Amino acid sequence: MRQKEEKCVVTFRTTAAAMEMERTCKAAGVPGRLIPVPRTITAGCGMCWAAPPSAREAVEELVVAKHLMIDGIYAIIL
Amino acid sequence: MIYLDNAATTRPKPPGVAEAVTAAMMSWGNCGRGAHEEALASARAVFSVRAKLAALFGCPRADHVCFTPNSTQALNIAISGLLGPGDHVISTDLEHNSVLRPLYRLRQQGAAVDFVPADRRGQIDYADFGHLLRPDTKAVVCTHASNLTGDMIDIGWVGDFCRAHGLLFILDASQTAGVFPIHMEKQHIDVVCFTGHKSLLGPQGTGGLCVREGVDIRPFAVGGTGVQSYLETQPTEYPTRLEAGTLNSHGLAGLDAALDFLEKTGIDSIRAHETALARRFYEAVRQAPGITVYGDHSMTERAPVVTLNIGDYESGEVADELAERFGIATRPGAHCAPRMHRALGTTEQGAVRFSWSYFNTEEETDAAAEAVRILATEN
């Protein structure tokens, strides 16, 4: 089993919203990747954006600036 | 074979389209089902197509581009999901059955539907939109161009009319998407319904609708979405709201490549080429003996379609002779546009439609015109 560490996790209600998140983060150079939604989170979309905790502020700024359609942002151990 | 039935479906597709479909079939997983790289590759590509179509149609939000197998299904979704008993709808005699049949069914369910009439030349009077307006009018549903004559409706005018009277504007762009500019914001269009396999130059089985933000279409089909699995109802967010079941991501891979071709070539260049060929053909055949050409060819802005009859020669026989003797593929018969045929007086004879794509040439066009002149002379 992999070593668990804290992640900043962003959830979505549609796959399209997750795609927009990935595209926007990549364009802005904000780290992270799409992973299956952990069972500790009740989320609409089957995938979520997982970023290092240090990127949380950048992620939140992007969400606001680019009007990204997210469901929630969580700090969880994965 | 000289293929002049591009208004039915374009053939061939641009270089790269078939290859993109094959590559997708050999490598992609299911869009939105799982988060492994194969599924993500599909999801990314599908989203890329949404973004390209949103840009093409002046739709501010890529996530409001929803996919269907064709424009008929898109129109069914828009019409049945926005209108209902007690509503009044204005449409036109230019429409295809993909608009007419959903409207006739709506009428059976208790809605009222009126059609702006076309005259014997297939022309409408825009003042009739105003004459048909009622206090309970909720929407205008109309085509951008007649699939039978190629005559166009001024969608900027219709958009302004709808905005002035608080009406929804549902546009059937089946015959024009990818060739003529369409801008949802500038032209006040609420829903653009499109098909991928005609002038967008993509595979059959692709199409969809672009929806203005705030226009809430009732879902037509409900089911698997890959998201919100424990919800008993269809998710309300676009595009999932209108997309139940696995998408045709393989087909959309081809549409993606076709959209790249359109972008690279430029729709203005494509339109100029196609309309020049249609004009060349029209000029070459219009004075042949016994020829009747339908529609208003004095307009420069028209879809690349020329529809004609030769005397009283049945259109199906003309098309068959064109195919058998001259190797020219055209479409005869009724063209799924019954109201327009009634207006033109061609319900019995039908009509022979020649339609061009970017891949047709002057030589092909001249050969087709010569074949028509030969048949006209023999008739």
Side-chain angles (χ1 to χ4, degrees):
Chain A
M1 190 179 284
R2 290 180 295 192
Q3 180 87 31
K4 291 187 183 294
E5 54 188 28
E6 188 181 324
K7 294 263 172 53
C8 166
V9 167
V10 184
T11 59
F12 312 94
R13 294 195 173 192
T14 67
T15 304
M19 291 302 112
E20 195 142 27
M21 182 77 188
E22 182 187 53
R23 179 181 271 223
T24 307
C25 285
K26 279 186 175 168
V30 175
R33 68 186 184 93
L34 289 164
I35 64 167
V37 175
R39 65 185 176 87
T40 47
I41 301 175
T42 305
C45 181
M47 64 184 85
C48 61
W49 182 253
S54 58
R56 178 161 184 147
E57 201 173 320
V59 165
E60 288 177 345
E61 282 172 8
L62 267 187
V63 166
V64 173
K66 302 292 184 184
H67 308 291
L68 298 173
M69 307 297 283
I70 69 163
D71 201 26
I73 301 184
Y74 306 84
I76 56 170
I77 307 291
L78 282 176
Chain B
M1 168 64 72
I2 296 173
Y3 186 80
L4 291 175
D5 197 13
N6 292 284
T9 195
T10 48
R11 170 199 175 275
K13 304 304 179 186
V17 171
E19 292 84 349
V21 175
T22 304
M25 294 177 93
M26 299 308 286
S27 61
W28 288 357
N30 194 336
C31 167
R33 312 297 195 269
H36 49 78
E37 270 306 309
E38 288 69 25
L40 289 177
S42 175
R44 287 179 190 124
V46 168
F47 189 76
S48 162
V49 188
R50 295 190 205 279
K52 287 173 187 173
L53 287 165
L56 182 67
F57 296 132
C59 178
R61 291 189 53 165
D63 63 358
H64 278 47
V65 178
C66 309
F67 293 119
T68 65
N70 47 51
S71 55
T72 293
Q73 189 147 323
L75 285 158
N76 270 274
I77 290 170
I79 290 169
S80 69
L82 287 171
L83 305 167
D87 293 330
H88 174 245
V89 189
I90 298 173
S91 189
T92 81
D93 275 353
L94 273 65
E95 307 309 316
H96 187 276
N97 270 336
S98 56
V99 168
L100 295 175
R101 285 181 173 151
L103 288 179
Y104 292 150
R105 184 167 67 175
L106 194 67
R107 189 159 63 185
Q108 287 172 348
Q109 294 165 348
V113 186
D114 280 309
F115 295 91
V116 172
D119 62 20
R120 286 281 297 182
R121 298 176 306 116
Q123 306 304 303
I124 60 167
D125 181 350
Y126 286 89
D128 284 331
F129 281 93
H131 300 151
L132 294 173
L133 191 66
R134 306 184 347 187
D136 56 348
T137 304
K138 189 169 178 190
V140 171
V141 187
C142 76
T143 187
H144 194 181
S146 163
N147 69 305
L148 180 53
T149 65
D151 286 339
M152 298 188 68
I153 290 179
D154 182 348
I155 57 172
W157 188 95
V158 176
D160 288 342
F161 175 82
C162 288
R163 193 182 202 197
H165 299 286
L167 311 179
L168 291 167
F169 180 14
I170 301 170
L171 177 68
D172 172 10
S174 301
Q175 299 298 333
T176 55
V179 175
F180 288 87
I182 295 169
H183 200 288
M184 290 179 70
E185 281 208 302
K186 289 180 185 164
Q187 295 171 312
H188 312 302
I189 307 165
D190 292 288
V191 185
V192 172
C193 299
F194 62 91
T195 192
H197 72 99
K198 294 189 176 182
S199 40
L200 287 177
L201 304 175
Q204 295 176 7
T206 61
L209 57 171
C210 300
V211 186
R212 181 197 290 277
E213 191 170 7
V215 174
D216 294 334
I217 300 176
R218 290 183 296 274
F220 183 68
V222 297
T225 57
V227 301
Q228 306 186 48
S229 291
Y230 293 96
L231 199 63
E232 292 193 357
T233 54
Q234 185 74 2
T236 56
E237 295 84 5
Y238 287 108
T240 311
R241 181 186 183 100
L242 301 182
E243 292 177 349
T246 292
L247 290 173
N248 177 14
S249 61
H250 300 151
L252 292 172
L255 183 58
D256 194 42
L259 291 169
D260 286 343
F261 177 84
L262 288 178
E263 170 78 24
K264 195 176 81 180
T265 311
I267 73 167
D268 293 341
S269 300
I270 290 171
R271 183 171 68 254
H273 177 76
E274 294 180 1
T275 54
L277 293 180
R279 167 66 58 184
R280 183 183 181 95
F281 177 82
Y282 168 75
E283 294 295 346
V285 303
R286 68 191 179 95
Q287 290 182 325
I291 291 282
T292 304
V293 181
Y294 302 97
D296 183 359
H297 288 263
S298 68
M299 302 292 286
T300 52
E301 187 99 321
R302 63 189 336 283
V305 166
V306 178
T307 298
L308 54 79
N309 274 316
I310 302 172
D312 59 0
Y313 196 15
E314 191 196 321
S315 65
E317 290 189 51
V318 173
D320 190 47
E321 208 166 330
L322 285 168
E324 287 293 304
R325 276 178 66 187
F326 302 99
I328 298 167
T330 61
R331 167 99 187 264
H335 303 273
C336 307
R339 300 185 73 91
M340 195 60 162
H341 277 289
R342 283 191 204 108
L344 298 172
T346 54
T347 51
E348 294 300 317
Q349 190 177 10
V352 187
R353 182 183 67 187
F354 299 75
S355 51
W356 284 260
S357 92
Y358 186 69
F359 298 106
N360 288 122
T361 64
E362 289 185 349
E363 291 71 27
E364 290 177 326
T365 303
D366 292 346
E370 180 60 18
V372 169
R373 285 197 300 267
I374 290 169
L375 292 181
T377 306
E378 291 174 355
N379 188 47

